[in-house]
Amino acid sequence: MKWTLLLASVLPFAVFAQQDYTIEGQLGKLDKPAKAYLRYKTEGREVIDSVYLDKGKFAFKGSVPSPLEAAIRVAHDDKPVDPTKPVKWDLFPFFLEGQHIKISAPDSIQNAIVTGSPLNDENKRVNDMLAPIYAQYEALNKEYASKSPADQQDMKYLQSLDDRAEAIKKQTEEAKLEYISKNPKSYMSLMALSSILEDGFDAIGLEKVFLGLDASSQNTELGRKVADRIAQVKKTQEGVEAPDFAQPDTEGNPVRLSDYRGKYVLIDFWASWCAPCRRENPNLVKSYAQFKDKGFEILGVSMDKATDKEKWLKAIKDDGLTWKQVGDLKGWDNEAGVLYDVKAIPMNFLVDPSGKIIAKYLRGEELDHKLSEIFNK
C-alpha cells in the first residue's frame, strides 16, 4: 500500500455500526504447522488472530468499526524465531472492510490476489494511476547510486536532488487532490488526504477538502484522526499568533520566543544528525548575513538528544551558525517541537514583529524571496 495513515470537535459524536468481515484464504497446499496471522490496529489497540492452514485453506471472521489497514503473515513452519538473525516475513498488506474477502496465492502470501473487496480494487486502480509518478523517485535513486562518491557528497548536486524530489512530491499531491475532487464519496479519497498531511501542509485549505468528503468517510476512525491532525496544525497556521515557549541555550540560559517581539524571527527546527538540515544551513547563513541588520533573527531549536549534545555544539560551530540556539535535548519529544507539531525536519516558521506566523517551511531561495519582499519594499 502506497499511502500511510497519518477530527476533532468539528465532528458530532457518533456510534459507528460494526462491519462484519469474512476472509477466505488459499495458499497452495500448505498444511499445519503452517499458520496464518491476521493483524490490524483499531481504536488504539492491536488485534491479532491466527489459524493453521489446512490444504492451503485458512479463514478469519470478525468485525471492524470502519475500513482499516491490515496484514496477513504466513509462517510456513513452526521453527522458533532466532532474534539474532533477520527474518523476512511472508507478508501481505490489504484493506479490511465489511465484505467477504478472498485472498489467494500459489506459493507465497506476498504474491496474493484479492477479490470480493471493492476497497482493495479501488486501491489498486489508484496505485496504478500514481505508479508513473512514483517511478520518478526510483529514477532519482538510481541516478544517485550511479554517481561517484565525490559527486554524492557535492552540495549543489544534493540540493538539486532535493529540489527535484520536492517537485515530484508536489506532482503527487496534485494528483491525489484531483482524485479526491472527482471521488468525494470514496474512502480512498480519505486515505489520499491523510497521506498528504505532512509538515508544512495548508491546514485551512485541506480542512475544506476534508469537509467536502462524504460523511461516511469523515465519521470513521481514520476520519477522526485526519480531523484531529488538521485541527492541531491549524494552531500554527499562517496568520495565528505563534505559541510562546522557553528553552535553554547552549550555556543553559533560558530564551523565550517572546524575547524576539519587534523583529522578524525564523524559528528553525533542526538537528545535528539531519542531513537535509545540514545542507540547508548554508542557505540560512547567507540569509542571516543579508538581513540581520534589517531586523531579521533566527532562533534555532535542536531536536537532538542529550547524548548528542556535543555533536549539536560541533554542528553549530562547523556550520557557522551565529544566531541563538536552544534545545531541551529531548529529541523528538522536544517540547517546542511538540507544541508546533513538528513531525519532520528541517521545519521552520517565520514570525512577524507582532508575534504572528506569516510563513512556514521556507527553504533555499524561498526564504530569501520572502525576506526581500519584507525588507526591500
Side-chain angles (χ1 to χ4, degrees):
M1 254 162 278
K2 300 283 188 179
W3 291 331
T4 57
L5 296 183
L6 283 177
L7 120 131
S9 54
V10 297
L11 290 181
F13 176 82
V15 176
F16 305 111
Q18 293 287 312
Q19 300 182 9
D20 295 331
Y21 65 82
T22 299
I23 299 174
E24 183 181 331
Q26 179 74 50
L27 184 58
K29 299 297 182 181
L30 279 179
D31 268 318
K32 185 178 181 181
K35 199 171 190 179
Y37 297 83
L38 171 66
R39 175 176 295 186
Y40 59 88
K41 290 183 178 181
T42 179
E43 299 174 340
R45 62 188 178 90
E46 185 173 52
V47 177
I48 301 176
D49 197 0
S50 64
V51 63
Y52 286 110
L53 274 69
D54 181 9
K55 296 182 176 58
K57 297 182 182 296
F58 62 91
F60 295 102
K61 290 184 178 182
S63 60
V64 290
S66 57
L68 45 77
E69 288 184 307
I72 289 178
R73 178 175 73 89
V74 174
H76 289 244
D77 53 50
D78 58 357
K79 294 179 181 179
V81 176
D82 185 347
T84 66
K85 297 180 180 179
V87 177
K88 185 177 181 181
W89 284 356
D90 190 11
L91 190 71
F92 180 70
F94 67 105
F95 284 107
L96 185 58
E97 61 175 329
Q99 298 287 340
H100 187 138
I101 304 171
K102 295 184 179 181
I103 299 177
S104 61
D107 44 21
S108 171
I109 194 70
Q110 65 183 354
N111 300 321
I113 295 175
V114 182
T115 58
S117 169
L119 188 56
N120 284 284
D121 292 343
E122 183 67 9
N123 178 55
K124 184 179 184 305
R125 284 192 290 270
V126 174
N127 282 335
D128 288 344
M129 179 266 291
L130 293 172
I133 303 177
Y134 291 136
Q136 297 178 55
Y137 282 119
E138 296 174 7
L140 280 186
N141 289 332
K142 289 181 180 179
E143 177 189 309
Y144 175 78
S146 70
K147 296 293 183 180
S148 68
D151 286 341
Q152 289 180 350
Q153 297 297 319
D154 182 78
M155 297 298 289
K156 289 185 178 179
Y157 174 65
L158 292 174
Q159 186 62 56
S160 76
L161 283 181
D162 283 348
D163 292 342
R164 284 183 284 166
E166 188 65 25
I168 298 171
K169 176 184 174 183
K170 183 177 181 181
Q171 184 181 356
T172 305
E173 291 179 356
E174 290 173 348
K176 291 179 179 180
L177 287 172
E178 181 179 1
Y179 172 82
I180 294 170
S181 68
K182 293 179 179 179
N183 302 274
K185 294 185 177 181
S186 171
Y187 184 81
M188 292 307 302
S189 290
L190 177 63
M191 290 291 299
L193 176 59
S194 174
S195 72
I196 60 179
L197 301 186
E198 300 179 353
D199 266 11
F201 76 84
D202 176 9
I204 294 176
L206 292 188
E207 181 179 52
K208 294 178 181 177
V209 174
F210 175 77
L211 294 175
L213 297 178
D214 192 76
S216 62
S217 292
Q218 292 183 32
N219 293 329
T220 61
E221 185 173 352
L222 176 58
R224 296 195 301 277
K225 291 179 181 178
V226 168
D228 277 342
R229 175 102 168 102
I230 291 173
Q232 175 66 29
V233 174
K234 278 182 67 178
K235 296 177 182 178
T236 55
Q237 188 71 38
E238 295 174 22
V240 305
E241 184 172 341
D244 196 15
F245 62 87
Q247 299 224 329
D249 64 15
T250 57
E251 297 180 351
N253 300 312
V255 178
R256 300 195 69 88
L257 173 62
S258 53
D259 295 341
Y260 290 83
R261 284 292 175 93
K263 292 187 176 183
Y264 287 90
V265 57
L266 185 76
I267 310 170
D268 177 44
F269 291 92
W270 72 292
S272 63
W273 48 261
C274 168
C277 303
R278 303 295 295 276
R279 290 198 295 270
E280 185 65 19
N281 279 343
N283 295 326
L284 294 180
V285 170
K286 175 176 171 289
S287 297
Y288 188 62
Q290 184 176 354
F291 296 100
K292 66 178 181 179
D293 293 334
K294 297 182 179 181
F296 173 61
E297 283 291 344
I298 301 177
L299 177 60
V301 182
S302 171
M303 303 296 283
D304 287 282
K305 294 182 179 179
T307 52
D308 293 326
K309 182 177 180 179
E310 293 305 316
K311 294 179 181 179
W312 171 46
L313 297 177
K314 185 176 185 299
I316 293 172
K317 181 178 179 181
D318 290 348
D319 292 1
L321 311 183
T322 58
W323 50 88
K324 185 69 71 174
Q325 297 288 337
V326 301
D328 57 18
L329 299 180
K330 296 180 181 179
W332 286 108
D333 292 324
N334 178 289
E335 293 181 8
V338 172
L339 181 64
Y340 279 74
D341 196 45
V342 174
K343 303 294 185 184
I345 50 177
M347 183 61 192
N348 58 45
F349 300 83
L350 183 60
V351 180
D352 72 7
S354 71
K356 288 185 178 180
I357 296 173
I358 58 172
K360 58 200 298 187
Y361 202 60
L362 296 170
R363 297 180 63 180
E365 294 183 354
E366 292 180 351
L367 177 59
D368 279 346
H369 289 162
K370 185 64 177 180
L371 295 176
S372 294
E373 178 185 299
I374 292 170
F375 293 113
N376 297 335
K377 294 181 180 179

